[in-house]
Amino acid sequence: MSVAKKEYKRVTVKTLVDMKANGEKISMLTAYDYTMAKIVDGAGVDVILVGDSASNVMAGHETTLPITLDQMIYHASSVIRAIYRALVVVDLPFGSYQSDPKEALRSAIRIMKESGAHSVKLEGGKEIKESIKRILNAGIPVMGHLGLTPQSIYKFGTYTVRAKEEEEAEKLISDAKMLERIGCYAIILEKIPAKLAKEVAESVSIPIIGIGAGNGVDGQVLVLHDMLGMTHEFNPRFLRRYMNLYEDMTGAISQYVDDIKTSEFPNDNEQY
């Protein structure tokens, strides 16, 4: 059943909780620069994630691990300057929060102060509980992230679906309830069975946003470059491409090259 969409002039962490309570789905996309963020925000997306996936799509690394805190602040600052409506959440990068709650707080404070972001996101459950609590106690909103956690790829050894076995599924549910209990305002569930994701969404009062977690959750997130078809090698089952910009952009650039080579560009109307 469709739910009437309420107009929110500015999306906050409270807005997301209200949206879940009202049965309104939450839309979320990544962005890493001013120009793309301005388009995403103008199109009405509720939440913009400045993801550590910038390590892959912007810098060309194989994993999210190499991106630094300084680089995340740079991307987040670029996005914030474009935003009028969306809530902006920024990933704490690998190595900036796992080992020491004090270091986690310092990293979160730097992101909030230097970029102007609205919240931060951390990957993991009870293993990083103290880091999350330290950040929350400083008044910084935190979004959790469970299931497939890309920063732990070398621990998992694969990007396959997580929590298919009962023991891991029970831990995921327990971690989700713990994240809600200590004060996280939302949780991303990545690449887990749809039935389990729906169970989690129904067991907590905070929004559950899925990526490869089925339709029984409170919202969805995709990487912008994947959704627009700018990338073409990545083809997981959960990805829906709304455009094929890889082909369109390649064609346009090829035409530009041809027009220069044949002196078709610039024409008489395109010069002074």
Side-chain angles (χ1 to χ4, degrees):
M1 183 177 69
S2 63
V3 176
K5 182 180 178 183
K6 181 178 177 181
E7 292 298 324
Y8 299 99
K9 290 185 178 180
R10 192 80 192 219
V11 178
T12 66
V13 295
K14 182 181 183 302
T15 304
L16 300 188
V17 176
D18 290 344
M19 289 172 76
K20 172 165 182 159
N22 295 332
E24 180 181 346
K25 297 284 189 175
I26 298 163
S27 60
M28 184 172 179
L29 277 173
T30 63
Y32 317 100
D33 65 87
Y34 175 87
T35 302
M36 295 293 270
K38 197 170 186 65
I39 294 170
V40 171
D41 187 57
V45 167
D46 300 312
V47 185
I48 292 178
L49 170 63
V50 185
D52 56 5
S53 47
S55 180
N56 310 108
V57 299
M58 301 298 286
H61 294 297
E62 183 180 1
T63 71
T64 62
L65 274 62
I67 200 163
T68 66
L69 183 60
D70 284 340
Q71 290 168 334
M72 289 302 302
I73 291 170
Y74 166 78
H75 287 293
S77 299
S78 301
V79 167
I80 282 291
R81 285 190 285 270
I83 300 306
Y84 289 94
R85 179 183 177 274
L87 176 77
V88 177
V89 54
V90 182
D91 273 330
L92 284 184
F94 177 74
S96 68
Y97 64 93
Q98 287 93 340
S99 63
D100 178 8
K102 292 182 180 179
E103 178 66 20
L105 177 58
R106 284 192 291 268
S107 300
I109 288 174
R110 281 200 61 200
I111 284 177
M112 300 294 284
K113 283 179 68 70
E114 296 178 35
S115 76
H118 308 138
S119 64
V120 297
K121 180 169 76 66
L122 287 72
E123 293 183 6
K126 67 178 183 180
E127 303 85 359
I128 59 164
K129 177 181 177 181
E130 295 308 314
S131 290
I132 294 174
K133 287 175 65 176
R134 183 66 67 99
I135 294 169
L136 287 167
N137 286 341
I140 299 172
V142 174
M143 177 180 285
H145 185 148
L146 300 172
L148 176 64
T149 48
Q151 291 180 11
S152 303
I153 183 57
Y154 291 126
K155 173 185 175 182
F156 293 146
T158 175
Y159 287 106
T160 191
V161 175
R162 304 303 310 171
K164 291 189 291 185
E165 303 300 326
E166 183 177 355
E167 182 178 354
E168 188 177 354
E170 289 178 354
K171 181 183 183 304
L172 188 143
I173 294 172
S174 175
D175 279 342
K177 291 179 178 179
M178 180 273 295
L179 291 176
E180 177 187 31
R181 186 168 62 252
I182 65 175
C184 289
Y185 71 87
I187 303 170
I188 284 182
L189 293 184
E190 181 167 357
K191 214 168 182 183
I192 69 169
K195 182 179 179 181
L196 174 62
K198 185 174 187 293
E199 182 179 349
V200 173
E202 291 174 348
S203 67
V204 297
S205 60
I206 60 175
I208 300 296
I209 299 172
I211 176 168
N215 199 33
V217 292
D218 305 302
Q220 301 293 330
V221 60
L222 286 175
V223 171
L224 180 65
H225 292 63
D226 297 336
M227 185 273 281
L228 293 177
M230 296 175 74
T231 56
H232 64 288
E233 307 95 341
F234 184 58
N235 293 294
R237 181 189 300 184
F238 64 77
L239 173 59
R240 180 183 296 183
R241 286 193 168 89
Y242 285 79
M243 298 183 72
N244 190 346
L245 281 186
Y246 178 81
E247 287 188 4
D248 291 345
M249 292 172 73
T250 300
I253 294 167
S254 296
Q255 185 64 57
Y256 170 72
V257 172
D258 289 344
D259 288 350
I260 292 174
K261 299 295 185 182
T262 59
S263 297
E264 291 292 322
F265 175 79
N267 61 31
D268 290 344
N269 294 325
E270 294 165 334
Q271 52 192 330
Y272 299 97

